[in-house]
Amino acid sequence: IARIDEYIVDKARDIVDRLIADHPDQRCDFVDHVAAALPLEIICDMMGIPAEDYRRIFQWTNTILGVGDPDFVTSYDDLMAHSLEMFTYAQELGQSRRDDPQDDITSVMMSATLDGDGVDGEQLTAQEFGSFFILLVVAGNETTRNSISHGMKALTDFPDQRERLYADWDGLARTGVEEIVRWASPVIHFRRTATEDTEIAGQRIEAGEKVVMFYGSGNRDERVFEDPYRFDVGRPLQPAQVGFGAGGPHFCLGANLARRELIVMFDEIRRRLPSLRITGEPSYLQSNFINGIKRLECSWD
């Protein structure tokens, strides 16, 4: 993250440059032109995906996480077709980097020799990389996009908090970003399997039983967070919000990248477009998995 920090700053600056130049009427879809642009372009660049393919990656990720929303997926066959297209693209990219390594994550992964149980001395196959590529690219842009979108809406809905954050950016940027992720809870749920008998809040759970965790509920647990339905950019960092998975082996691999993207993007907006605000009702993704916003009109003075 430290190595690409300057790149993230440059990318956020470029996005705001384009926003101003391309929208002389000073209004646009915040999701498409701001929230989606930063994490998408950064993860694509990190993976070695050329700029001319950014839009195609954006459409594929919308489809894969848009199951159940008629704007994106109309049938299971459509979902499988788009997933196969992305998988094939990933295999081709992986093989090209194995043949001709570049300075990107794809090249590192395709050339690495793994050590561990059952994989001593083995490399990822193109098929294995294809699956991991989909996971990394989809997760690397979709959740951060929705955190930025929900965050901008919250800063519009609570102008006192926006004024407070913008006025003391150095003091509140870190807590403000954690509060945005808590407020957004971009992933609705995940399921885990109990590996041993246990008990949670008086509920017996047997080994092998499935347990569903709802992150929005955890992030608004009144036993943990004081006044959890209040958006507070100065909320203490402890107890920690659970939007990144709450620790353990399943903690979000890209948490630090997401935090940095959020800080840099909102800092760029704060400095250059402080009057930017959401002006319409969000068009929410119809999903029981992702707390997504598809479209979000905004304007600035």
Side-chain angles (χ1 to χ4, degrees):
I1 303 305
R3 186 166 65 87
I4 67 167
D5 188 72
E6 186 176 343
Y7 172 76
I8 297 173
V9 172
D10 290 343
K11 182 63 69 175
R13 185 181 302 120
D14 181 56
I15 287 169
V16 174
D17 285 343
R18 297 194 316 248
L19 188 69
I20 295 170
D22 296 344
H23 300 90
D25 60 346
Q26 297 172 314
R27 61 183 62 248
C28 73
D29 176 5
F30 184 81
V31 174
D32 196 9
H33 296 283
V34 181
L38 183 69
L40 174 70
E41 293 178 20
I42 288 173
I43 194 65
C44 284
D45 186 77
M46 291 175 69
M47 296 297 292
I49 298 168
E52 59 266 25
D53 291 337
Y54 288 178
R55 198 68 191 176
R56 188 155 47 144
I57 297 294
F58 177 68
Q59 292 166 346
W60 280 334
T61 58
N62 280 343
T63 298
I64 290 172
L65 289 183
V67 178
D69 191 307
D71 280 353
F72 298 127
V73 182
T74 57
S75 70
Y76 180 76
D77 289 340
D78 286 344
L79 171 63
M80 294 308 297
H82 287 111
S83 298
L84 181 59
E85 287 176 10
M86 192 173 189
F87 185 79
T88 302
Y89 179 92
Q91 286 184 298
E92 293 173 353
L93 179 66
Q95 190 59 53
S96 72
R97 291 302 191 271
R98 176 163 287 168
D99 297 337
D100 182 21
Q102 306 290 321
D103 184 21
D104 53 45
I105 292 176
T106 297
S107 298
V108 172
M109 292 180 64
M110 293 305 294
S111 63
T113 299
L114 307 179
D115 293 320
D117 293 341
V119 291
D120 289 336
E122 295 182 12
Q123 291 182 315
L124 283 175
T125 66
Q127 290 78 12
E128 289 167 337
F129 174 73
S131 296
F132 192 76
F133 174 91
I134 293 175
L135 175 64
L136 198 61
V137 171
V138 170
N141 88 85
E142 187 81 20
T143 49
T144 306
R145 174 209 311 185
N146 288 309
S147 292
I148 294 172
S149 298
H150 281 285
M152 196 67 243
K153 184 177 186 302
L155 292 175
T156 300
D157 291 343
F158 304 100
D160 60 318
Q161 293 300 307
R162 178 174 61 180
E163 182 178 347
R164 180 184 174 202
L165 177 64
Y166 286 6
D168 183 18
W169 181 256
D170 290 341
L172 293 173
R174 189 179 175 199
T175 56
V177 161
E178 294 299 314
E179 179 69 348
I180 284 172
V181 175
R182 184 191 76 87
W183 191 258
S185 296
V187 175
I188 296 173
H189 75 270
F190 259 104
R191 193 189 74 181
R192 298 282 181 249
T193 302
T195 57
E196 61 185 51
D197 295 346
T198 188
E199 182 175 309
I200 299 177
Q203 173 66 50
R204 288 290 302 167
I205 299 171
E206 306 296 330
E209 286 189 323
K210 307 293 190 293
V211 178
V212 178
M213 305 175 295
F214 288 91
Y215 295 104
S217 177
N219 275 331
R220 286 164 175 77
D221 188 342
E222 66 279 359
R223 299 167 301 177
V224 177
F225 299 103
E226 182 180 350
D227 198 1
Y229 289 92
R230 184 184 79 249
F231 180 70
D232 178 6
V233 297
R235 188 179 294 276
L237 296 174
Q238 295 296 329
Q241 54 84 17
V242 299
F244 290 122
H250 297 289
F251 186 75
C252 175
L253 182 67
N256 287 330
L257 175 60
R259 287 182 172 114
R260 191 61 190 149
E261 289 174 345
L262 285 161
I263 286 176
V264 169
M265 193 70 255
F266 281 109
D267 188 29
E268 195 70 18
I269 291 171
R270 174 190 70 91
R271 289 186 298 102
R272 299 181 59 194
L273 294 173
S275 65
L276 192 150
R277 60 200 176 276
I278 303 306
T279 55
E281 284 299 309
S283 174
Y284 289 105
L285 181 70
Q286 295 183 39
S287 172
N288 62 9
F289 180 52
I290 296 295
N291 184 22
I293 298 178
K294 296 182 291 186
R295 291 175 293 277
L296 190 63
E297 292 301 313
C298 73
S299 68
W300 58 94
D301 297 334

